[in-house]
């Protein structure tokens, strides 16, 4: 019976080339169809200031300390502080205020090894403002901290409670003379 099935005219050949087989590699195609970028070695075509741009003077390097993020800018006014706080609230970060009575910047006093600096950790003003959703709440706390410690540096920081990191920090108030 098995021999009759093999010699039966119903048996057909199966072409397996199209099922699961990959065509062989035939080499790289011509690069003529791809877009090319012209390189320009002429340095006179590079954009320049042209004298029409008004630039703002930033942090003067002589006799001034550089503090935190945004310290190269002039002091922020209330509206600018509110916009920065609104930014950190939009990001979902938790605002918190910290103050420093003595220096307000990183310095070396107790140890001289590389990577060790004093002044990195400041005192927290109250607890972080969990649930805060309005910049005016943070600015009200800033005014209270300024009233309590008028000769201190005060910074606003933003914590990301998911990643457990501090994401933003900037000086919101400097004592007179800085």
């Amino acid at each position: 019976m098995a021999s009759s099935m093999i010699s039966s005219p119903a048996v057909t050949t199966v072409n397996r080339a199209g099922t699961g087989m990959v065509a062989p590699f035939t080499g790289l195609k011509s690069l003529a169809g791809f877009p090319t970028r012209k390189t320009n070695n002429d340095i006179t075509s590079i954009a320049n200031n042209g004298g029409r741009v008004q630039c703002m003077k930033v942090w003067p390097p002589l006799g001034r300390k550089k503090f935190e993020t945004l310290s190269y800018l002039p002091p922020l006014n209330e509206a600018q502080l509110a916009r920065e706080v609104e930014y950190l609230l939009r990001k979902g970060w938790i605002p918190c205020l910290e103050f420093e009575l003595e220096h307000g910047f990183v310095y070396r006093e107790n140890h001289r090894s590389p990577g060790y600096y004093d002044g990195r950790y400041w005192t927290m003003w109250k607890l972080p403002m969990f649930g805060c959703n309005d910049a005016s709440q943070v600015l009200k706390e800033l005014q209270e901290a300024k009233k309590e410690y008028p000769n201190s540096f005060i910074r606003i920081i933003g914590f990301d409670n998911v990643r457990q990191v501090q994401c933003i920090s900037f000086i919101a108030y400097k004592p007179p003379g800085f």
Side-chain angles (χ1 to χ4, degrees), residues 14-151:
V14 178
N15 183 5
R16 297 192 188 272
T19 59
M21 301 286 291
V22 178
F25 179 71
T26 58
L28 297 174
K29 306 289 188 245
S30 169
L31 296 178
F34 294 111
T36 59
R37 219 170 81 183
K38 271 176 59 176
T39 58
N40 188 357
N41 294 330
D42 181 17
I43 63 170
T44 60
S45 64
I46 298 174
N48 63 13
N49 185 333
R52 293 177 292 171
V53 177
Q54 294 290 329
C55 296
M56 178 177 66
K57 183 179 178 183
V58 294
W59 178 70
L62 303 174
R64 304 292 293 198
K65 288 283 186 186
K66 188 173 181 187
F67 295 95
E68 296 270 344
T69 309
L70 308 178
S71 65
Y72 56 91
L73 295 174
L76 301 175
N77 61 30
E78 290 290 320
Q80 292 167 329
L81 281 173
R83 284 198 302 263
E84 290 298 323
V85 172
E86 287 168 0
Y87 169 77
L88 73 91
L89 290 173
R90 272 194 317 271
K91 291 292 215 174
W93 300 332
I94 298 167
C96 182
L97 273 69
E98 292 181 336
F99 65 96
E100 169 65 34
L101 295 172
E102 295 177 15
H103 294 79
F105 48 86
V106 174
Y107 59 96
R108 287 187 178 222
E109 182 178 281
N110 296 318
H111 206 275
R112 299 289 182 233
S113 67
Y116 179 83
Y117 295 95
D118 296 306
R120 292 179 293 174
Y121 302 107
W122 291 22
T123 305
M124 190 181 300
W125 169 259
K126 298 186 180 178
L127 292 174
M129 301 176 73
F130 296 103
C132 177
N133 55 10
D134 187 16
S136 65
Q137 295 170 325
V138 178
L139 296 179
K140 181 177 163 261
E141 288 295 327
L142 176 64
Q143 294 304 326
E144 287 182 27
K146 285 196 298 193
K147 194 183 309 177
E148 183 80 21
Y149 300 104
N151 293 324

Side-chain angles (χ1 to χ4, degrees), residues 3-23:
S3 63
S4 66
M5 287 176 43
I6 292 175
S7 63
S8 168
V11 175
T12 59
T13 59
V14 178
N15 183 5
R16 297 192 188 272
T19 59
M21 301 286 291
V22 178

